[in-house]
C-alpha cells in the first residue's frame, strides 16, 4: 500500500490536553510494543504500531469511537487524524460491513496505526493518543493519554533473502488488513504480532505474471508452472541456525489449506530456517521446498549462503517465500521488528488480480534503485544475484 504523505499528516489544529470538566473514557489503553521508525520503498519514514483499548467495566455499555488523533512531544498539531469511517479500516475485530466500530462492555479493540513522516524530518520522541467515544446514552467521553516512547534504534540492514529475480512483496508493511500485521498471537500470557513486518515474496516474470506462459488453469497447475518455485533462498547476514526443519510435504497450488495445528513455526512454516543474526534479532524463512533445507541447528552461516529453495510447505496457498525479522527465536511470543535491505530495484505496485493476468495488464513503472529501505505492500522488486564471492 503506497500511502501518500498528505494522507498521513493532517495538520488540523487541535488542543490536545484534556480540559476541565471533560468526561474521561472508562477504558484501559496502551501501546504494548513501541514502534521503531523505518524508511519504506516510497522514500518516507514510517511508524507502525497498535493501540489496545479495553472497555473495562461491564455496566458501561458499548463505546463507539468517533475519532483518533496522535500527537508528538506535546505539540498541538496532530501527526495523524482519523474519523469514525477511517477507524473501520484500522480496527480489529473488524466491524460487520456497513456497521460502525463499537467496543462492547468488557471487550478490547486493537487499532492499527500507520504514521508517515518525511525521510529527513526530526523524529518524534513520545506519542500520545486522543480517542473520542460516544456512549449508548449519546455522551462523548475521551481517552487522553496512552503515551509511548518511540524506539530510536535503527533497523538492521540486510542482504537479499533470494538470489536474484523479480518478486511481489505481498501482504507487506502498510497494509493494516494483511494477514501478517493483523494477526495477533495469544500464547501463554503473551499477545504479540510476530509478522508485523513480514513479506510474502511471490515470484513474477517481466509481465508481472506469477505463472509461466502457457499455464491455463491455476487450480490445476503444478509447482513447476510457478515463476518463483525452486528459487535459491539465501542468508541475509552472517548468523547461527537456531532452528530448521525439512521433510514436510508441499501442498498443491491454490488448494484448500487445513487449519494449522498450532500457532508455532512447526504449525505454520512447513519447512523452514530460523537464523540468529544479531543479539535478539532472528530471521525466519518459511514454506521452503521439501528436501532443500540442508542446514541444521547450530550451523554457522555467512551472508549469501544457500539455505533452501522456494516451495509451498506449511500454511501456504501458493509457492512463495515468507520472510520476517523478530525479537525471539520462536514464532509464538515474538514481536516483529523492522529491517531494511541494502539494495533492490522497485518497479511499482501490482494487484493480486494482475498476478494472474486479470484486469488491466500490469506495466512496470520506471525502475527505482532503492538502498537501505523496506519494501512496502504490493510493490514489485528485484534483488541482485548476490553471492559470497561478490561480497569479498
Amino acid at each position: 500500500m503506497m500511502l501518500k504523505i498528505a494522507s498521513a499528516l493532517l495538520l488540523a489544529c487541535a488542543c490536545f490536553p484534556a480540559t476541565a470538566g471533560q468526561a474521561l473514557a472508562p477504558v484501559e489503553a496502551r501501546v504494548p510494543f513501541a514502534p521503531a521508525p523505518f524508511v519504506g520503498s516510497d522514500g518516507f519514514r514510517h511508524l507502525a504500531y497498535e493501540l489496545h483499548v479495553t472497555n473495562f467495566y461491564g455496566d458501561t455499555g458499548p463505546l463507539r469511537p468517533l475519532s483518533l488523533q496522535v500527537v508528538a512531544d506535546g505539540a498541538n498539531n496532530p501527526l495523524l487524524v482519523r474519523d469514525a469511517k477511517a477507524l473501520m479500516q484500522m480496527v480489529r475485530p473488524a466491524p460487520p460491513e456497513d456497521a460502525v466500530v463499537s467496543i462492547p462492555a468488557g471487550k478490547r479493540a486493537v487499532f492499527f496505526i500507520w504514521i508517515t513522516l518525511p525521510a529527513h524530518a526530526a523524529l518524534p520522541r513520545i506519542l500520545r493518543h486522543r480517542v473520542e467515544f460516544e456512549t449508548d446514552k449519546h455522551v462523548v467521553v475521551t481517552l487522553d493519554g496512552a503515551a509511548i516512547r518511540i524506539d530510536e534504534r535503527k533497523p538492521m540492514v540486510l542482504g537479499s533473502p533470494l538470489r536474484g529475480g523479480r518478486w511481489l512483496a505481498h501482504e507487506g508493511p502498510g497494509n493494516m488488513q494483511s494477514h501478517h500485521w493483523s494477526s495477533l498471537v495469544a500464547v501463554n500470557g503473551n499477545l504479540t504480532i510476530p509478522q508485523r513486518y513480514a513479506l510474502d515474496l511471490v515470484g513474477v516474470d517481466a509481465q508481472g505474471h506469477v505463472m509461466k506462459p502457457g499455464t491455463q488453469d491455476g487450480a490445476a497447475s503444478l509447482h513447476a508452472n510457478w515463476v518463483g518455485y525452486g528459487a535459491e533462498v539465501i542468508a541475509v547476514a552472517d548468523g547461527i541456525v537456531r532452528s530448521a526443519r525439512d521433510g514436510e510435504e508441499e501442498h498443491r497450488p491454490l488448494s484448500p489449506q487445513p487449519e494449522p495445528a498450532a500457532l508455532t513455526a512447526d504449525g505454520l512454516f512447513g519447512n523452514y530456517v530460523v537464523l540468529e543474526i544479531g543479539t535478539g534479532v532472528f530471521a525466519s524463512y518459511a514454506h521452503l521446498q521439501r528436501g532443500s533445507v540442508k542446514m541444521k541447528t547450530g550451523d554457522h552461516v555467512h551472508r549469501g549462503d544457500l539455505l533452501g529453495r522456494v516451495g509451498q510447505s506449511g500454511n501456504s496457498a501458493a509457492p512463495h517465500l515468507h520472510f520476517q525479522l523478530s525479537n525471539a527465536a520462536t514464532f509464538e511470543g515474538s514481536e516483529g521488528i523492522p529491517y531494511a535491505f541494502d539494495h533492490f530495484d522497485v518497479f511499482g505496485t501490482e494487484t493480486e488480480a494482475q498476478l494472474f493476468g486479470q484486469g488491466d495488464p500490469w506495466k512496470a513503472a520506471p525502475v527505482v534503485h532503492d538502498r537501505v529501505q523496506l519494501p512496502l505492500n504490493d510493490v514489485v522488486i528485484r534483488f541482485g544475484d548476490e553471492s559470497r564471492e561478490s561480497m569479498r
Side-chain angles (χ1 to χ4, degrees):
M1 183 183 300
M2 302 293 286
L3 299 181
K4 302 289 187 182
I5 185 65
S7 69
L9 294 178
L10 302 179
L11 300 180
C13 181
C15 288
F16 204 77
T19 59
Q22 184 180 60
L24 298 179
V27 299
E28 186 267 349
R30 59 193 177 89
V31 177
F33 191 71
F38 66 93
V39 177
S41 52
D42 58 357
F44 294 110
R45 185 179 281 153
H46 301 280
L47 295 167
Y49 66 99
E50 307 82 45
L51 173 66
H52 293 226
V53 178
T54 302
N55 184 358
F56 188 77
Y57 296 108
D59 58 356
T60 298
L63 295 174
R64 183 167 69 90
L66 302 176
S67 64
L68 177 146
Q69 297 179 14
V70 183
V71 299
D73 304 325
N76 285 332
N77 291 335
L79 292 176
L80 185 74
V81 176
R82 292 291 181 262
D83 61 16
K85 183 177 180 180
L87 291 178
M88 293 177 63
Q89 305 301 314
M90 53 190 290
V91 68
R92 292 292 181 274
E97 189 174 356
D98 298 326
V100 298
V101 179
S102 181
I103 310 175
K107 299 293 185 179
R108 175 188 296 185
V110 179
F111 296 92
F112 291 79
I113 298 177
W114 178 265
I115 295 175
T116 300
L117 302 167
H120 301 293
L123 277 174
R125 297 177 60 197
I126 298 176
L127 302 176
R128 293 181 67 234
H129 303 83
R130 180 187 180 96
V131 184
E132 290 192 333
F133 304 90
E134 184 180 38
T135 71
D136 57 356
K137 297 179 180 179
H138 305 293
V139 174
V140 175
V141 293
T142 304
L143 158 67
D144 188 356
I148 187 69
R149 181 177 293 275
I150 288 175
D151 185 344
E152 298 180 357
R153 289 175 292 183
K154 293 183 178 180
M156 192 169 185
V157 179
L158 310 175
S160 305
L162 291 150
R163 204 181 311 280
R166 294 193 189 200
W167 304 88
L168 179 71
H170 193 41
E171 297 283 285
N175 182 0
M176 60 188 63
Q177 298 183 20
S178 76
H179 74 277
H180 288 151
W181 189 9
S182 66
S183 293
L184 293 99
V185 177
V187 176
N188 196 33
N190 294 314
L191 181 64
T192 62
I193 302 183
Q195 305 175 96
R196 185 177 286 108
Y197 303 97
L199 298 173
D200 280 348
L201 295 164
V202 184
V204 296
D205 62 17
Q207 287 71 47
H209 293 158
V210 73
M211 288 184 286
K212 296 176 181 178
T215 307
Q216 301 297 324
D217 184 1
S221 65
L222 304 175
H223 290 136
N225 299 129
W226 290 70
V227 172
Y229 185 79
E232 292 189 346
V233 175
I234 58 178
V236 293
D238 295 353
I240 302 173
V241 177
R242 291 306 181 197
S243 60
R245 186 169 71 163
D246 201 341
E248 293 297 303
E249 294 186 4
E250 298 179 80
H251 306 293
R252 290 193 57 176
L254 307 181
S255 63
Q257 298 294 297
E259 287 294 320
L263 296 178
T264 63
D266 283 350
L268 297 168
F269 282 177
N271 303 313
Y272 66 88
V273 176
V274 177
L275 300 179
E276 183 176 8
I277 57 175
T279 303
V281 181
F282 299 85
S284 296
Y285 303 76
H287 312 314
L288 302 180
Q289 187 182 104
R290 185 181 187 183
S292 72
V293 178
K294 306 302 182 184
M295 298 292 178
K296 296 181 177 58
T297 300
D299 285 351
H300 288 254
V301 302
H302 298 279
R303 172 172 162 165
D305 282 353
L306 180 65
L307 302 178
R309 294 182 180 272
V310 172
Q312 197 194 329
S313 57
N315 189 30
S316 170
H320 72 279
L321 172 67
H322 172 98
F323 178 83
Q324 67 181 55
L325 228 61
S326 60
N327 64 359
T330 58
F331 179 84
E332 67 281 10
S334 69
E335 294 280 13
I337 56 178
Y339 50 95
F341 295 123
D342 59 9
H343 66 279
F344 58 93
D345 297 334
V346 177
F347 296 89
T349 59
E350 182 178 15
T351 67
E352 187 171 338
Q354 288 174 321
L355 286 176
F356 298 93
Q358 301 171 1
D360 295 332
W362 179 74
K363 293 182 179 180
V367 63
V368 176
H369 304 289
D370 278 352
R371 291 188 177 273
V372 194
Q373 296 181 351
L374 175 57
L376 298 184
N377 182 57
D378 282 346
V379 298
V380 176
I381 62 177
R382 179 175 61 195
F383 291 116
D385 186 13
E386 185 170 308
S387 64
R388 287 183 60 189
E389 286 71 20
S390 69
M391 294 177 289
R392 289 175 179 172

